[in-house]
Amino acid sequence: RSGPSVPPTVDSTALEGGESNPQKRRSPSPERAANGGYHMGDKVLAPTLIGDDWEEAEVVAHKPTDETALYYIHYTGHDRRLDRWLPEHALRPLPEVGDSPSAKRPRKGA
């Protein structure tokens, strides 16, 4: 077996004629991230399992709930056994290349 089962979801941008190649997608625009709404294939910063650090991750699936959206994320370069569901408020948009290093690693709770 190859990791946990993830429920399939539909990426609405592919249906709307938007970007359909997740390999080209980097981070969501700051406006979209601020208003909520990550999509499958988006690159984000997610809190590490241990410590006060952040890791680059990719949104693999999305599950809307009554309270907040949940995102199934895969930590880039790590085993898929570490993939997990996180609420939207736990994720940060991945800074654009050229942003200051301190912007890439915000402190938890910030």
Side-chain angles (χ1 to χ4, degrees), residues 15-27:
L15 296 176
E16 297 165 2
E19 187 178 352
S20 62
N21 183 352
Q23 296 294 356
K24 289 188 175 185
R25 181 173 285 149
R26 291 302 299 161
S27 63

Side-chain angles (χ1 to χ4, degrees), residues 21 31 34 56 62-63 67 80 84 95 102:
N21 183 352
E31 296 81 24
E56 182 178 318
H62 170 255
K63 179 176 17 177
E67 295 177 19
R80 295 218 177 265
R84 64 183 178 151
S102 61

